[in-house]
């Protein structure tokens, strides 16, 4: 496989150096693997820290900035960051109001963030955690006990980040984050496998003419494989799976935030066409789309495919979603 890298061993460090050069508003510690807002402690707000394996960019470092994350901890490709990174990030952003850890439900992330939270508490930093587990495709996978954390992570980080920016206390920011998580569901589809720099080729076998329904963001197996279908058929499977789970989330007739997320190698031409099918299906089922986001936000290296995330959103969540944000990958209203 041809890759625009120097070597597999330096790919994450090289990317962090590039992030630092492109975004001087960020303090990027390449050697220790921590990305922090330079103004993270200004205003005495709750700090938001997230992180996970690299390869899912712009998640998480691309969401560090005003109105979103205070810091992010990138691990090696598809590998959890270590507790020292998370502890260092928490201390860097703590401004007297505590820190919220946003954790995707992958075993390494869960264990390491928990250890970091305990270490931070020992050092006098109050920590709350929210565990994002929005993927409806499978209950357990190669990486998780329970459901995987995927696209809803973006919703949690944006909405909780807005609440923190407004000066909400830690308990309230954590409660809002948990509410967003509880109101969100996702489903992913792979049209091709991803290729890690270390392997230099596809991480799993997906024959020509087939797709993986319910794939995970590391290429974990989904619900089933089928012959390739037109976008409308794929959308019917994904939207149907998500709505089946959202039935339990009130209000049943309320609007949704909709994310059509590219897995890394699918062009916007296809993603916008797929979004049109998603909206058509939601409208047919009487589900209004209050806000929509289309693009590559929670990726899986060079995987072709997409995921659909829907979040039942009341007036408060929509207000916080609309609040100004300025990060490397998401920005509006400022």
């Amino acid at each position: 496989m041809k890759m625009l890298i120097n070597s597999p061993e330096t790919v994450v460090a090289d990317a962090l150096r590039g992030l630092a050069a492109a975004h001087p508003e960020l303090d990027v510690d390449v050697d220790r693997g921590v990305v922090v807002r330079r103004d993270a402690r200004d205003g005495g707000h709750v700090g938001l820290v997230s992180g996970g394996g690299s390869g899912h960019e712009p998640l998480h470092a691309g969401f560090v900035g005003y109105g979103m994350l205070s810091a992010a901890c990138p691990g090696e490709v598809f590998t959890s960051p270590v507790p020292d990174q998370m502890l260092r990030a928490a201390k860097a952003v703590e401004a007297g109001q505590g820190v919220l850890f946003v954790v995707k439900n992958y075993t390494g992330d869960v264990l390491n963030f928990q250890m970091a939270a305990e270490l931070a508490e020992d050092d006098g930093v109050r920590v709350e955690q929210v565990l994002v587990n929005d993927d409806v495709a499978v209950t357990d996978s190669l990486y998780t006990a329970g459901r995987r954390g995927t696209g809803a992570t973006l919703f949690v980080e944006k909405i909780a980040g807005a609440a923190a920016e407004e000066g909400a206390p830690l308990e309230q920011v954590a409660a809002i984050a948990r509410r967003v998580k509880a109101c969100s569901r996702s489903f992913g589809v792979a049209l091709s496998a991803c290729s890690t720099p270390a392997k230099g080729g596809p991480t799993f076998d997906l024959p020509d003419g087939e797709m993986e329904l319910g794939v995970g963001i590391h290429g974990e197996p989904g619900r089933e494989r089928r012959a390739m279908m037109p976008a409308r058929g794929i959308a019917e499977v994904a939207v149907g799976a998500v709505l089946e789970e959202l039935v339990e989330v009130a209000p049943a007739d309320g609007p949704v935030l909709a994310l059509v997320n590219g897995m890394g190698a699918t062009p916007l031409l296809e993603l916008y066409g797929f979004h049109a099918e998603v909206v058509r299906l939601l409208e047919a089922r009487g589900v209004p789309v209050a806000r929509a986001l289309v693009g590559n936000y929670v990726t899986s290296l060079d995987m072709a495919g997409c995921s659909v995330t829907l979040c039942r959103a009341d007036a408060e969540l929509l207000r916080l979603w609309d609040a100004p944000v300025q990060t490397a990958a998401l920005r509006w209203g400022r």
Side-chain angles (χ1 to χ4, degrees):
M1 299 292 293
K2 296 178 180 178
M3 295 184 178
L4 199 63
I5 64 173
N6 292 317
S7 72
E9 293 76 20
T10 66
V11 64
V12 174
D14 290 344
L16 289 176
R17 279 191 284 271
L19 179 70
H23 296 282
E25 71 275 14
L26 301 177
D27 184 0
V28 182
D29 189 330
V30 176
D31 293 331
R32 295 176 177 177
V34 179
V35 179
V36 181
R37 286 176 58 178
R38 290 191 183 275
D39 63 349
R41 289 181 173 174
D42 295 355
H45 298 150
V46 169
L48 261 71
V49 175
S50 193
S54 296
H56 306 303
E57 289 74 20
L59 192 79
H60 293 276
F63 299 140
V64 176
Y66 181 92
M68 214 160 174
L69 292 178
S70 308
C73 309
E76 292 300 318
V77 173
F78 290 1
T79 303
S80 173
V82 297
D84 283 352
Q85 290 173 262
M86 302 154 186
L87 178 61
R88 188 171 288 110
K91 289 183 174 181
V93 306
E94 210 282 323
Q97 301 302 316
V99 174
L100 177 67
F101 283 169
V102 179
V103 187
K104 300 189 307 302
N105 189 32
Y106 295 95
T107 302
D109 291 0
V110 173
L111 294 175
N112 288 345
F113 269 103
Q114 179 59 45
M115 186 178 297
E118 293 170 1
L119 293 171
E121 295 278 0
D122 289 343
D123 287 346
V125 179
R126 288 189 302 136
V127 175
E128 291 273 358
Q129 298 186 67
V130 58
L131 185 67
V132 184
N133 56 351
D134 53 305
D135 187 0
V136 304
V138 294
T139 301
D140 297 293
S141 76
L142 301 175
Y143 290 77
T144 65
R147 291 181 167 177
R148 304 172 292 211
T150 57
T153 311
L154 184 155
F155 290 159
V156 170
E157 292 175 355
K158 170 62 185 79
I159 291 173
E165 203 70 60
E166 291 180 351
L170 179 59
E171 294 75 14
Q172 184 178 341
V173 175
I176 288 171
R178 293 184 183 115
R179 180 149 61 97
V180 174
K181 184 269 295 225
C183 293
S184 302
R185 303 289 189 275
S186 297
F187 190 91
V189 179
L191 308 184
S192 74
C194 60
S195 302
T196 63
K199 184 174 176 62
T203 56
F204 63 95
D205 178 47
L206 186 57
D208 290 343
E210 293 187 9
M211 58 184 176
E212 183 84 28
L213 297 175
V215 72
I217 58 172
H218 305 98
E220 309 99 316
R223 287 186 178 181
E224 62 175 309
R225 288 189 177 182
R226 288 191 193 175
M228 187 62 191
M229 298 186 293
R232 67 177 66 89
I234 300 173
E236 286 171 1
V237 173
V239 172
V242 171
L243 288 182
E244 182 179 353
E245 297 278 341
L246 277 182
V247 168
E248 63 195 52
V249 179
D253 59 349
V256 296
L257 295 171
L259 168 65
V260 168
N261 168 68
M263 292 293 199
T266 301
L268 280 171
L269 179 71
E270 296 177 31
L271 292 177
Y272 276 115
F274 189 81
H275 178 67
E277 298 298 337
V278 169
V279 172
R280 175 183 62 82
L281 291 166
L282 292 173
E283 289 178 347
R285 290 163 172 77
V287 180
V289 177
R291 305 288 188 275
L293 194 61
V294 179
N296 290 289
Y297 295 101
V298 184
T299 63
S300 183
L301 293 168
D302 60 344
M303 182 185 289
C306 68
S307 61
V308 176
T309 303
L310 302 178
C311 174
R312 294 276 188 201
D314 59 17
E316 181 186 21
L317 296 189
L318 289 177
R319 181 185 67 79
L320 292 169
W321 176 259
D322 289 340
V325 60
Q326 186 169 343
T327 70
L330 203 67
R331 56 181 62 203
W332 57 70
R334 191 172 190 243

